[in-house]
Amino acid sequence: MMPNNTGRRHISSASSALLIGGMLGLIQALLLIVSAKPILSYMGIKSDSPMLSPAYKYLTLRSLGAPAVLLSLAMQGVFRGFKDTKTPLYAIVVGAIVNIVLDPILIFVFKMRVIGAAIAHVFSQYLISLILLWKLMEQVDLLRPHIKALQLGRFLKNGFLLLMRVIAATFCVTLAASMSTRLGSTEMAAFQICLQVWVAASLLADGLAVAGQVILAGAFARQDYTRATATAALSFGYGTCSLINCWCWIKLLIRSVYNTDAKVLRLLSLGIPFVAATQPINTIAFVFDGINYGSSDFCYSAFSMVLVALASVVCLWLLSSHYGFVGIWVALSIFMGLRVIAGLGRIGTASGPWSFLNKY
């Protein structure tokens, strides 16, 4: 990584990330558009369902934003490597504000409904990508003259492992959503409300995971194992203590916003305890994600998630068939608990990159 005459740095991995992210984004968009109806059918939306038409329009339009989403994620990773978390934050905030402003205008003023929601999302994602690209080009020479300098082999290897992890984790949540849809429209509505709050609250811990990842990566690069151990312990302790009090504010939020349908509210009263009670668990799970990524333990992260997902899928099938809506949330709670056990087990057994703990 050397600066040139313009003050910008040559970083081949940045170009690799953008190239692979763009290619995967195009492939993902194409697959989503072509297989939109089979995906919706898998999600439990039947051919005669009134949800099919708006869902199909929303999915196909929103899939056009896939290249922007993956490019944005790739560039966020590059900035994270610079230990610059402000630039991605500002870009995402700008995109979110634009999305929030466009949503009511397109949905209600222009009466575009779900089409307007999809357009607002896609526009905001491309805006985020353009902002990040503009800021990145100020610091890095993105175009390299030789394809060998892109280190595609290394990226594809680690990228494939992380892709395995993402697919496994996403499959569990998607399967849970599909099962709630098959229970009925009321159960689906209640599940989606709980899920969105569950995910939003859980992602509050993502900043902690990012910080832990950056600090750990630097510590391992310098073989500063004392700092690595201290960072992991601090992250774990903070994750354990945080978000304990989320029960009250989550319940208040849902009650104040979604208070029109008695049937949905009844199901929400069953889902809220799981949404709230699992937040400390979710926080720790995200922290361990950052710890594993920071130590470059991609292989363990991928295969442990696959095993966790397999066990969780079995729980989903069994519990949802016997206990319905509540069973789905019990299974998701088990899923997050197993993720914590997998992350803790790696450090606890002092294996892999943590083998240096055997010296203490």
Side-chain angles (χ1 to χ4, degrees), residues 183-227:
L183 293 175
S185 58
T186 302
E187 287 81 0
M188 179 202 66
F191 177 83
Q192 287 300 326
I193 292 171
C194 288
L195 180 66
Q196 293 306 314
V197 177
W198 189 63
V199 172
S202 300
L203 288 177
L204 292 175
D206 193 45
L208 180 63
V210 170
Q213 177 183 347
V214 172
I215 296 173
L216 275 170
F220 273 101
R222 297 188 300 270
Q223 296 185 347
D224 187 353
Y225 298 129
T226 301
R227 184 180 180 85

Side-chain angles (χ1 to χ4, degrees), residues 72-139:
S72 173
L73 290 174
M75 287 185 282
Q76 289 178 49
V78 175
F79 281 107
R80 188 180 302 177
F82 296 159
K83 297 184 180 181
D84 178 5
T85 55
K86 290 183 179 180
T87 300
L89 173 63
Y90 295 152
I92 292 172
V93 168
V94 171
I97 292 174
V98 170
N99 196 350
I100 292 171
V101 171
L102 286 178
D103 269 334
I105 295 174
L106 297 179
I107 295 172
F108 301 113
V109 177
F110 291 97
K111 301 185 184 301
M112 299 176 70
R113 301 185 185 278
V114 295
I115 294 178
I119 292 175
H121 171 80
V122 171
F123 182 83
S124 66
Q125 292 302 319
Y126 277 99
L127 178 61
I128 292 172
S129 293
L130 287 175
I131 294 174
L132 290 175
L133 182 62
W134 168 49
K135 299 300 292 184
L136 188 61
M137 290 179 66
E138 292 181 350
Q139 303 183 45

